[in-house]
Amino acid sequence: MVSRVIPVDVFDLVIFGATGDLARRKLLPALFRRMRDGQMPGESRIIGVARRDMEADEFRNFVRDALEEFEPEAAEAPDVLKAFLGALDYLVVDVRGDAGWEALKAMLRPDIVRAFYLSVGPSLFGEIATRLKKHAIAIPESRIVVEKPLGHDLASAKALNARLGACFDEHQIYRIDHYLGKETVQNLMAIRFANALFEPLWNGQYVDHVQITVAERIGVEGRGGYYDKSGALRDMVQNHMMQLLCLTAMEPPAKFNADFVRDEKLKVIRALVPANPQSTVRGQYRAGDGEGGYLDHAENPDSNTESFIALKVEIESWRWAGVPFYLRTGKRLRARMSEIVVVFKKPPHAIFPEMAQQGSNELVIRLQPDEGITLNMTIKEPGPGGMRLTEVPLDMSFAEALGAGHHVPDAYERLIMDVIRGDQTLFMRGDELEEAWAWIDPLVAAWEENGARPKPYDTGSSGPEDALALLHKDGRKWREIES
Ligand code: NAP
């Protein structure tokens, strides 16, 4: 299947923090691929900004090296590579100071799309926005892109929204959650709203429960300082998992546009029952497999921060009354795996003797390591010998379904092009961000008041035993964590 590529308008994109990890690993390779596939017009320009003293040609070499490492196929398209490197420019600016901004302004062209990607630490977001406005670089049509962490509680999220809002209108602010740029996550909406099959079943009458898992094999190495102030709840649940929950649970929007979709997501967050600390399990991984434990990497060797969390979430609505959403995420688990699983109820009456042992239908929406969707069904085991039942997956791996050579775009490819197109549908709105924190904060406060330590768990496991018990006591069980 050949993908349809609609070129975007010519743009000037400024990447603040262009020498950093995110820019090297994700943003620049994503932009290269968009040019290779014909979506990024050749006259567009990408201007890297950072403090490191470099000429534009040195920056081009730096980007060539980054592509060699993270997009090795770039070498197979030398003409595109040349054009891409030719589209790059670089400027030294310490964004905390006032020097360099007028030079940046002079580099930007009037009357074309202008976007600023803030690939720097969050403490610089406000500084950059303020200076872009002060130096009249931010014009009414320009866009600003920020990524997590977007605050660490409601008060700081409000302060960030206010600071950005003083310089940019809400329709100019793109809060990236790269999970929303994943093909499968968008497919969740296509499956729900472009098929007649699932939506009638998508409620408490037919759905038993929903599981959302984001499991990582890696630990916090190298990020111990940041992570220790954050923990799994703030780092993963407040943003990515909350967004996945919203897309799974939201009502069908009247139209697929930014405000309609975001209104529906917001309603889900507002309908969440306050988290019950008794229905949460926090964990910290032990040393194992030759690697140190969480506490060996944490800033505070006596840290109380969780590297794992499992929680039961309920939604007060007609659709979801009585349907628990179980969320879990953690580091140093058995495998890298992210999935949303909608577990359906069993048929109301069992006509085959084996049905009691049979599992339920499950719709598995897999985000990592490979993207795809599976519907687990019960069928008759082939052959003679009576009516024996077996479970089979109806499988749709995107890479296979779309054919050899079809490249499943990285989330950043889709999202950066959406910024250029001016489409905010897959970005978080300010009120969503604040409501999500408003739900998280009381849970953090309850943990702090309680002071209980996270439960230790083994590296390579599924997390603490108590996380298994969270479902067992409801008569359910987690799906295995496996890649
Ligand atoms: P990083 O590797 O530390 O890069 C930071 C960049 O900011 C560097 O280019 C740095 O270059 C520049 N910078 C720092 N202070 C500056 C200043 N005063 N003026 C101008 N430039 C400055 O960080 P990162 O991992 O790329 O992350 C960037 C942002 O994305 C962070 O907010 C992070 O939380 C978020 N994020 C990252 C990832 C990821 O995979 N890395 C994933 C999700 C979110 P100089 O030192 O040369 O100035």
Side-chain angles (χ1 to χ4, degrees):
M1 191 187 293
V2 179
S3 62
R4 282 173 290 166
V5 174
I6 302 165
V8 296
D9 291 339
V10 175
F11 60 85
D12 280 346
L13 170 66
V14 181
I15 303 181
F16 289 95
T19 57
D21 176 68
L22 181 66
R24 286 177 65 247
R25 269 191 319 112
K26 293 288 183 184
L27 308 182
L28 292 159
L31 285 158
F32 170 80
R33 288 194 288 268
R34 290 299 88 218
M35 184 183 254
R36 184 196 57 198
D37 291 357
Q39 195 166 26
M40 171 180 157
E43 312 85 74
S44 301
R45 284 213 321 237
I46 301 163
I47 301 165
V49 171
R51 288 169 305 183
R52 190 189 302 186
D53 198 9
M54 263 196 285
E55 296 295 330
D57 271 339
E58 287 173 80
F59 180 62
R60 292 187 187 109
N61 288 336
F62 170 89
V63 175
R64 185 199 298 272
D65 292 346
L67 291 176
E68 226 166 73
E69 190 173 348
F70 299 109
E71 182 57 26
E73 287 177 15
E76 291 165 24
D79 292 346
V80 184
L81 181 58
K82 190 168 169 220
F84 184 73
L85 297 176
L88 301 176
D89 214 329
Y90 183 78
L91 192 67
V92 181
V93 182
D94 181 340
V95 299
R96 291 189 192 276
D98 268 319
W101 297 93
E102 290 303 318
L104 177 60
K105 189 172 168 181
M107 286 167 98
L108 297 171
R109 296 168 289 177
D111 304 325
I112 59 164
V113 174
R114 186 177 285 192
F116 307 105
Y117 200 119
L118 275 45
S119 184
V120 293
S123 62
L124 299 178
F125 292 170
E127 303 248 4
I128 296 176
T130 307
R131 289 196 164 85
L132 287 172
K133 182 167 165 82
K134 178 176 160 193
H135 292 273
I137 302 171
I139 52 176
E141 304 77 42
S142 51
R143 288 133 214 198
I144 187 163
V145 187
V146 289
E147 184 157 359
K148 77 165 197 184
L150 300 174
H152 59 270
D153 58 12
L154 177 58
S156 54
K158 277 188 168 171
L160 175 63
N161 277 347
R163 191 123 189 240
L164 294 177
C167 309
F168 291 85
D169 286 342
E170 181 62 34
H171 75 269
Q172 299 177 282
I173 304 173
Y174 288 72
R175 297 176 190 82
I176 272 204
D177 186 319
H178 68 271
Y179 274 55
L180 297 191
K182 288 185 180 291
E183 281 289 305
T184 4
V185 174
Q186 294 163 56
N187 238 311
L188 169 59
M189 288 184 278
I191 285 205
R192 285 192 61 192
F193 305 133
N195 295 283
L197 199 60
F198 289 111
E199 202 47 29
L201 308 179
W202 210 263
N203 56 55
Q205 202 178 338
Y206 296 102
V207 174
D208 181 73
H209 71 282
V210 176
Q211 299 185 12
I212 304 179
T213 299
V214 177
E216 295 178 282
R217 272 182 74 97
I218 53 165
V220 294
E221 303 85 320
R223 288 179 74 215
Y226 156 73
Y227 194 90
D228 208 30
K229 293 188 193 74
S230 164
L233 180 71
R234 287 185 168 113
D235 190 47
M236 296 300 291
V237 177
Q238 184 274 339
N239 36 55
H240 309 311
M241 300 186 82
M242 184 76 87
Q243 289 293 318
L244 298 181
L245 182 147
C246 285
L247 292 179
T248 310
M250 73 181 185
E251 294 299 319
K255 290 196 176 88
F256 189 64
N257 76 22
D259 272 330
F260 282 51
V261 170
R262 298 186 304 177
D263 285 347
E264 295 306 333
K265 287 195 291 163
L266 183 64
K267 285 184 211 162
V268 174
I269 306 177
R270 288 190 171 146
L272 294 178
V273 177
N276 175 0
Q278 307 306 322
S279 299
T280 65
V281 177
R282 302 167 71 234
Q284 249 181 16
Y285 62 84
R286 297 190 181 97
D289 285 350
E291 299 283 347
Y294 179 79
L295 294 177
D296 299 314
H297 295 285
E299 201 169 56
N300 169 7
D302 195 30
S303 172
N304 219 5
T305 302
E306 77 285 354
S307 62
F308 174 97
I309 178 167
L311 61 167
K312 176 175 167 180
V313 179
E314 290 172 277
I315 302 170
E316 276 178 322
S317 71
W318 273 54
R319 187 188 282 265
W320 296 117
V323 181
F325 283 62
Y326 299 101
L327 275 47
R328 70 179 160 168
T329 180
K331 296 196 173 289
R332 285 225 158 269
L333 297 176
R334 184 174 304 141
R336 174 171 173 257
M337 179 195 94
S338 302
E339 61 178 30
I340 303 166
V341 187
V342 179
V343 182
F344 291 91
K345 289 185 172 163
K346 296 224 177 191
H349 172 60
I351 66 164
F352 304 114
E354 289 181 24
M355 276 177 72
Q357 289 85 52
Q358 222 53 51
S360 308
N361 294 134
E362 293 173 340
L363 181 70
V364 182
I365 298 137
R366 201 171 51 235
L367 281 65
Q368 280 172 339
D370 49 340
E371 297 198 45
I373 294 175
T374 306
L375 181 61
N376 290 333
M377 306 274 295
T378 300
I379 60 160
K380 177 189 168 298
E381 204 175 282
M387 193 68 176
R388 293 189 309 271
L389 301 177
T390 186
E391 283 167 47
V392 292
L394 290 184
D395 208 338
M396 192 183 90
S397 149
F398 288 169
E400 282 171 28
L402 297 175
H406 190 97
H407 130 91
V408 179
D410 180 77
Y412 285 98
E413 291 178 50
R414 163 74 199 248
L415 294 173
I416 297 172
M417 290 299 108
D418 279 357
V419 172
I420 305 300
R421 273 192 289 260
D423 183 351
Q424 290 185 304
T425 311
L426 298 177
F427 297 80
M428 278 178 294
R429 208 168 50 194
D431 50 4
E432 269 182 86
L433 177 73
E434 292 182 13
E435 285 291 338
W437 279 120
W439 187 81
I440 294 281
D441 278 1
L443 185 55
V444 176
W447 287 345
E448 280 171 2
E449 196 184 315
N450 169 294
R453 291 199 64 78
K455 312 273 179 203
Y457 63 94
D458 286 338
T459 286
S461 70
S462 307
E465 288 292 314
D466 288 20
L468 305 180
L470 184 70
L471 267 70
H472 279 167
K473 65 180 180 218
D474 290 349
R476 302 183 172 105
K477 73 184 191 30
W478 292 106
R479 272 169 51 90
E480 289 296 325
I481 293 182
E482 56 195 5
S483 50

